[in-house]
Amino acid sequence: AADLYDELKPSIPKFKSAGNRLLFKMMVFVLPVYRALLQETSKDEALGITRECFFKSLDAGFQGSRVLRRIHRTPSLLRVFRRWFIRNVNTADEPDGWKYDKLTFGKGLLYSFSVERCGIHGFFKKQGVPELVRIICEGDYYVMKYFPKGVRLTRTQTIAECAESCDFHYGFE
């Protein structure tokens, strides 16, 4: 997988936005893992193992960062972080990165927003592996175990499923 990652490096966008860099770093590693697995096993099995690797990496990120765990346990910190993150990414407006819209806060709502452009979707599509995007989308639900008790993610559409945008609603039960 290391050789496959080295081959991939020239095609990885150089982002100015810290948010875009962070998201891409969290996600792009699954591509060389998946390609290496495809050389050894079936597509379905490679997707399953890649999914588990991605989820384990999300756990490692949270378990390795006390700050990240604290932010995700505290609604007010989560709101501040999400506001900063979206502003950081949108201000850079990098064509290979993410673009957000409709950030809202309200009664019974931690926050909601939409993704109008998904950097990893575009990248994986160019790489000929759009099937990997669904794994990344599943990760949004997987990390909910790190959010405050009683917060639920609801999403009705994703770019990976051919919608114009992804909608994220983090509400209180």
Side-chain angles (χ1 to χ4, degrees), residues 1-12 28-40 50 123 127 129:
D3 290 341
L4 291 169
Y5 185 76
D6 288 339
E7 290 175 21
L8 186 62
K9 274 185 179 178
S11 62
I12 296 174
V28 75
F29 85 92
V30 301
L31 178 54
V33 169
Y34 179 61
R35 285 183 173 160
L37 288 165
L38 285 174
Q39 295 173 6
E40 304 296 325
T50 301
F123 183 76
Q127 294 293 319
V129 290

Side-chain angles (χ1 to χ4, degrees), residues 2-172:
D3 290 341
L4 291 169
Y5 185 76
D6 288 339
E7 290 175 21
L8 186 62
K9 274 185 179 178
S11 62
I12 296 174
K14 307 290 187 263
F15 292 114
K16 295 176 185 170
S17 159
N20 278 327
R21 285 193 308 272
L22 174 66
L23 286 176
F24 221 79
K25 183 178 179 181
M26 283 175 43
M27 299 172 191
V28 75
F29 85 92
V30 301
L31 178 54
V33 169
Y34 179 61
R35 285 183 173 160
L37 288 165
L38 285 174
Q39 295 173 6
E40 304 296 325
T41 189
S42 71
K43 184 177 181 177
D44 286 343
E45 190 167 351
L47 282 168
I49 295 169
T50 301
R51 179 181 181 271
E52 291 306 310
C53 287
F54 179 57
F55 289 179
K56 294 290 183 196
S57 76
L58 293 172
D59 285 334
F62 277 92
Q63 292 164 7
S65 173
R66 198 170 63 168
V67 170
L68 191 59
R69 287 192 312 273
R70 169 94 188 232
I71 288 170
H72 280 78
R73 276 195 317 259
T74 312
S76 59
L77 292 177
L78 262 169
R79 287 181 184 113
V80 168
F81 176 75
R82 183 56 64 182
R83 185 179 286 127
W84 170 84
F85 192 91
I86 287 175
R87 186 177 302 130
N88 175 266
V89 169
N90 283 352
T91 299
D93 195 19
E94 298 169 292
D96 292 324
W98 282 257
K99 182 75 174 174
Y100 296 94
D101 197 13
K102 302 176 187 146
L103 176 63
T104 58
F105 306 93
K107 186 174 172 100
L109 182 67
L110 179 61
Y111 52 76
S112 70
F113 60 90
S114 66
V115 175
E116 303 298 315
R117 181 178 62 231
C118 174
I120 206 70
H121 177 266
F123 183 76
F124 283 169
K125 192 173 174 184
K126 286 178 193 173
Q127 294 293 319
V129 290
E131 64 270 22
L132 288 179
V133 181
R134 284 192 175 87
I135 292 170
I136 302 302
C137 293
E138 287 178 44
D140 297 323
Y141 289 98
Y142 183 81
V143 299
M144 289 307 298
K145 65 185 181 180
Y146 297 105
F147 276 65
K149 296 266 188 253
V151 173
R152 170 190 247 152
L153 168 60
T154 306
R155 188 168 53 210
T156 63
Q157 62 184 27
T158 66
I159 294 169
E161 298 168 321
C162 300
E164 291 293 316
S165 63
C166 307
D167 59 337
F168 288 78
H169 305 278
Y170 293 87
F172 295 102

